[in-house]
Amino acid sequence: MKQRPALVPLGETEMDVLRVVWESGDATVADVHTRLSAARPLAYTTILTVMRNLAEKGYLAATREGRQDRYRPTRSPETVRQSLLGGFLARVFDGDPAALVQTLVRAERLTDDDRAALRRLLDDL
């Protein structure tokens, strides 16, 4: 069975914008700019460009409302995570999920709760 190609990778600002739209359900450029500018300075035009790019990449869809566009997500967070992780797994770990998990477990400082959650997840599989 042929695998579907991964979605186009996203940069940090693109992920930040996408998270805001996921949390809101839909949003205008002004909505996203207001939310993100509280944490770091970003130009309105930067957010506008990022949202247009996300629409071109297939992550968002725009509907015209008067003089502005309202954007909504076209893919769920889980779908995006799976696709981006699949591309990362293929590029960085040569498609080996065990190598990814081993690297994650060894590199991160996992709490006892984290380890227990991972064990439960593996047992459930």
Side-chain angles (χ1 to χ4, degrees):
M1 177 181 206
K2 186 178 178 183
Q3 274 190 317
R4 287 185 3 194
L7 292 170
V8 177
L10 298 174
E12 181 180 352
T13 301
E14 288 175 316
M15 280 303 303
D16 291 343
V17 167
L18 197 49
R19 282 187 197 99
V20 170
V21 178
W22 279 330
E23 290 169 8
S24 304
D26 63 17
T28 64
V29 174
D31 297 334
V32 174
H33 181 254
T34 299
R35 288 273 306 275
L36 293 181
S37 293
R40 64 182 171 152
L42 288 165
Y44 180 91
T45 54
T46 299
I47 301 301
L48 174 64
T49 300
V50 167
M51 292 180 80
R52 285 180 177 167
N53 289 343
L54 286 170
E56 287 177 19
K57 291 178 180 181
Y59 291 96
L60 297 176
T63 304
R64 194 76 174 161
E65 285 188 358
R67 295 178 57 180
Q68 63 184 350
D69 287 331
R70 179 163 294 279
Y71 291 85
R72 63 176 171 71
T74 58
R75 303 183 194 290
S76 70
E78 187 61 26
T79 299
V80 172
R81 286 185 200 113
Q82 287 176 354
S83 179
L84 295 176
L85 183 59
F88 179 76
L89 179 67
R91 282 189 322 278
V92 178
F93 294 94
D94 200 27
D96 182 0
L100 169 69
V101 172
Q102 288 171 1
T103 301
L104 177 65
V105 169
R106 289 181 182 143
E108 295 298 318
R109 297 176 192 256
L110 299 178
T111 66
D112 290 340
D113 288 343
D114 293 334
R115 282 190 290 279
L118 285 172
R119 282 188 188 99
R120 283 191 303 274
L121 178 63
L122 290 172
D123 288 344
D124 288 346
L125 293 174

